[in-house]
Structure formats: structure tokens, C-alpha cells
Amino acid sequence: MRLLPEPGPARTLALSSLINTVGRGTWLTASALFLTRSVGLTVAQVGVGLTVTALVGLVASAPMGYLADRYGPRGVQMAALLASAACTAALVAVRSFAAFLLVGMLMAVADAASRGSRGALIAGAVPADQRVRTRAYLRAVTNVGISVGAVVAGVGLAADTRAAYVALILLDAVTYLVAAAVLLRLPPVPPVPAPTQGPRLIALRDRPFLAFTVLDGLMSMHFGLLNIALPLWIAGHTSAPHWLISACMLVNTVMVVLFQVRASRGTEDLAGAGRAARRAGAVIAVACALFAASGGVPALVAVPLLLAGALVHVVGELWHAAAGWGISFGLAPAHAQGQYQGAYGMGMQLGSMVAPVVVTTLAVGWGVPGWLLLGGLFLLLGVLVPPVVRWAAGTRAERAAEPVAA
């Protein structure tokens, strides 16, 4: 299996993402220690800052996608990468909470522009039947890039000096610049004229699409199971060794790299994507049950249950991701791919904001009943997606008849 797709626009996009995410992996790994040990912020200040920037990113998602439609997604994507490089470099000068908040909010806007324009760029540069497959390649290389970046960051963390943290930050900034340069190999995708009548941000008025976005965003809380709930569960409620936390993470990363492209097959159309979302909810529910069963049993039983849960969970994760791409591309009008992809990203932002509270309260706080309740929630969310997608598909003909400027 190939890490990069065949030569052409999809490969260029994948190569740009791979370079960028190596830098992103260094920042994600080193950011907490840099902000607390080098800048001197408190843990509470870092948490508040991340929450505020997440809210800014959520609000900016659809408008930034709209700009990608109007001005061309390649140009907006490159501008977003250059802005991200500047914001990242500016972190070196951060000495206070106010400065961190300002830089973080600017970076959130740039990141929102990057997300919306990336979806529109894929829609404009890649044939319709290859869009979901391209997104699958991008997710696979993202996991590789972040993993490589995490290893690189380990060197800086071992040194634990300001010079080492600054070097990691500047490396991240450079990867943004190189990723933008790679995109010069893509032919420009022409901007799409705005409709002559009606509102501009139609994605935010598309009730069935927003309903799907909320369902998909709540489904994305399952990422918090592996990153937040499971480590706390293993450490505090099972007899499994703590190194199993890393093993479960490794299972997830390897599976995404190897099988995300394969898991995307059959999700290019709305019906297939809806079925994949339903399967994802059911499989993640099974994973929750396996995690629940690992509590209060001997290590020889807990370890295989946890590994099986991690394996089952990632299968659901692969289907959930592919389903979301197929549905978000399939429901977006041709003249509004950017804003629809931006609105779709709002769901993921919502999920990432509520996941820490929900998964820790239920899985860690309530124990086995909480895990089972979470499983039932994911099962319900998956079941609801296909009828919502059918509702949304039923409104497409009316929307397609709306006049668009020539």
C-alpha cells in the first residue's frame, strides 16, 4: 500500500499535508510544556486560552470557507499557511497570557481558513469520485506526520530548555512555509461567483446539513475516548500496566495509516456514507463495552480486552471519518464547497470542546454504567445519520434550482 496517492493534484495535497503535520506534531507535543515552563503560564490559563481559541475557530469556520469559494481555495489555503507560519513564529515573543490569547485567536482564524479552503481545494482540484479517497490519504499522512513530529519534539523535551522549545516552534513555522510552497505545483482553482439572490452563508441556514453537522460533531467525541478517557481509565480503574496506554495509541495510529484509504471505499455517495456512519456508531458502542469490561478484572483479562477495544474503536473511527467526508462533499452545492466544508468542521470543533467533560464524567466518573451509556449514545447517533442525510438529500433539488450568478 502507498502512503501517497498517484501523481497529480491528490499527491501534491498529500505531500503538502505530510510536511505541514510534521511541524504540527512537534507543536502539539511540546506546546503544554513550552507555555507553562518557558512562558510561565499556569495550567488554568493554558486551558482557558485553548477554550477561547477553539470558540474562535468554530465561529470563523464557515465564513473562512466562504472566502475560499469567492477568492479561490488555493490562494486562501496558501494565505492561511503563511499566516499560520507568522503566528507560530510569534509564539517565540509571547511572555504573557494576553499575548498568548491574541496569537492563539489569530492562529485559530488562520486554521479555520485552512480547513475550509482545503475542502474546497479538494473539491475543485480532484474528480468528484476521488474526493473521499483523497481525504483518506490526507488523514493517513497526517497521522504519519504528527507521529514523526512527536518523535522530533521528544529531543526538545529531553533538553527542556527555552532554546530547544524555540527551535521546535521555528521548525513548525518553517513547515507551514514549505507546505505552502508545495501547493504552487497545483493549478489554481477558479473562484466561484456568489449567488445573485438570497443569503451568502447558506450553509448556516441549511437545517438538514446543520443537523448532520451536529450529529457528526457529537459522534467525534469518540476521539476523546482514546486520548482522554482511556488513559485515565487504565491508570485508575484497571489492573493493566500503564504502558498499555501507549500501545493503544500505537494501534490507533498504525491502523489509520494502513487502512483509512481502504475504509473509505463505498462512501463516495450519500447512501454509502450514511451506512458507514451507522456502522461506525455500532462499532464504537462495542468498543465502549469492551473498555467497560476491562475494569475490576485481572491484568491477564484486562490487557486483551483493552487492546481489542482499541482495535474495534479504530475501525469505527475509520468509518466515521470516511462517512463525514462523503456526506459533506455530497451535500454541498458546487458554488459553496468551501463554506460547507467550513461548516462541517464546526461539528468537529464542537465535539472536541464537549468531549473532555462528557467522556471524563461518564467513563471515568461513572465507571461501567458510564461507558455503557456512552456506547448507547454513539449507537443512537449512528442510527440517526442516514435519515438525516436522506432529509438533506431531499432538499438538494430545490437548492439546485436557486439562481446562481453567471
Side-chain angles (χ1 to χ4, degrees), residues 243-312:
W243 57 258
L244 197 66
I245 297 170
S246 296
C248 291
M249 297 289 188
L250 182 62
V251 167
N252 182 274
T253 300
V254 171
M255 288 287 288
V256 170
V257 172
L258 294 180
F259 296 109
Q260 183 63 79
V261 175
R262 182 175 298 180
S264 69
R265 294 174 184 171
T267 60
E268 297 84 1
D269 62 89
L270 291 175
R275 290 192 295 270
R278 185 170 56 209
R279 292 197 303 269
V283 169
I284 295 171
V286 173
C288 288
L290 289 169
F291 292 145
S294 67
V297 297
L300 288 176
V301 179
V303 168
L305 284 172
L306 290 165
L307 288 175
L311 185 62
V312 172

Side-chain angles (χ1 to χ4, degrees), residues 214-359:
V214 171
L215 291 177
D216 187 79
L218 292 176
M219 179 83 82
S220 73
M221 290 192 302
H222 72 78
F223 291 108
L225 298 181
L226 197 68
N227 299 329
I228 302 171
L230 194 60
L232 296 174
W233 176 255
I234 290 175
H237 298 270
T238 78
S239 56
H242 290 184
W243 57 258
L244 197 66
I245 297 170
S246 296
C248 291
M249 297 289 188
L250 182 62
V251 167
N252 182 274
T253 300
V254 171
M255 288 287 288
V256 170
V257 172
L258 294 180
F259 296 109
Q260 183 63 79
V261 175
R262 182 175 298 180
S264 69
R265 294 174 184 171
T267 60
E268 297 84 1
D269 62 89
L270 291 175
R275 290 192 295 270
R278 185 170 56 209
R279 292 197 303 269
V283 169
I284 295 171
V286 173
C288 288
L290 289 169
F291 292 145
S294 67
V297 297
L300 288 176
V301 179
V303 168
L305 284 172
L306 290 165
L307 288 175
L311 185 62
V312 172
H313 170 268
V314 75
V315 172
E317 177 183 324
L318 296 174
W319 279 333
H320 168 241
W325 302 328
I327 295 168
S328 62
F329 279 129
L331 292 179
H335 67 279
Q337 281 285 353
Q339 62 169 290
Y340 269 73
Q341 295 306 312
Y344 166 62
M346 291 171 60
M348 298 292 288
Q349 293 285 97
L350 172 66
S352 66
M353 288 173 60
V354 302
V357 173
V358 173
V359 301

Side-chain angles (χ1 to χ4, degrees), residues 9 15 17 94 96 117 135 194 207 218 229 244 292 297 311 314-315 331 354 366 380 388 401:
L15 182 60
S17 292
V94 168
S96 66
S117 60
R135 288 295 297 257
R207 288 182 296 174
L218 292 176
L244 197 66
V297 297
L311 185 62
V314 75
V315 172
L331 292 179
V354 302
W366 293 11
L380 176 62
V388 168

Side-chain angles (χ1 to χ4, degrees), residues 73-302:
R74 193 190 75 160
V76 173
Q77 175 75 183
M78 293 177 66
L81 291 171
L82 294 176
S84 295
C87 291
T88 301
L91 287 166
V92 174
V94 168
R95 287 285 191 268
S96 66
F97 175 67
F100 165 58
L101 204 58
L102 175 61
V103 173
M105 289 190 293
L106 292 173
M107 189 175 293
V109 174
D111 189 53
S114 179
R115 289 195 307 271
S117 60
R118 184 184 302 116
L121 188 55
I122 294 169
V126 178
D129 62 346
Q130 292 296 313
R131 292 170 182 170
V132 173
R133 182 177 177 85
T134 299
R135 288 295 297 257
Y137 271 116
L138 296 186
R139 185 160 193 259
V141 301
T142 293
N143 274 261
V144 173
I146 288 178
S147 298
V148 172
V151 172
V152 173
V155 178
L157 295 179
D160 195 24
T161 64
R162 178 167 178 81
Y165 291 127
V166 168
L168 293 176
I169 290 171
L170 295 180
L171 172 63
D172 186 16
V174 169
T175 63
Y176 280 113
L177 298 176
V178 177
V182 169
L183 290 181
L184 289 171
R185 298 166 54 186
L186 276 180
V189 176
V192 183
T196 56
Q197 300 178 11
R200 293 294 183 259
L201 290 176
I202 59 173
L204 299 183
R205 295 170 178 262
D206 189 338
R207 288 182 296 174
F209 184 81
L210 291 179
F212 158 71
T213 297
V214 171
L215 291 177
D216 187 79
L218 292 176
M219 179 83 82
S220 73
M221 290 192 302
H222 72 78
F223 291 108
L225 298 181
L226 197 68
N227 299 329
I228 302 171
L230 194 60
L232 296 174
W233 176 255
I234 290 175
H237 298 270
T238 78
S239 56
H242 290 184
W243 57 258
L244 197 66
I245 297 170
S246 296
C248 291
M249 297 289 188
L250 182 62
V251 167
N252 182 274
T253 300
V254 171
M255 288 287 288
V256 170
V257 172
L258 294 180
F259 296 109
Q260 183 63 79
V261 175
R262 182 175 298 180
S264 69
R265 294 174 184 171
T267 60
E268 297 84 1
D269 62 89
L270 291 175
R275 290 192 295 270
R278 185 170 56 209
R279 292 197 303 269
V283 169
I284 295 171
V286 173
C288 288
L290 289 169
F291 292 145
S294 67
V297 297
L300 288 176
V301 179

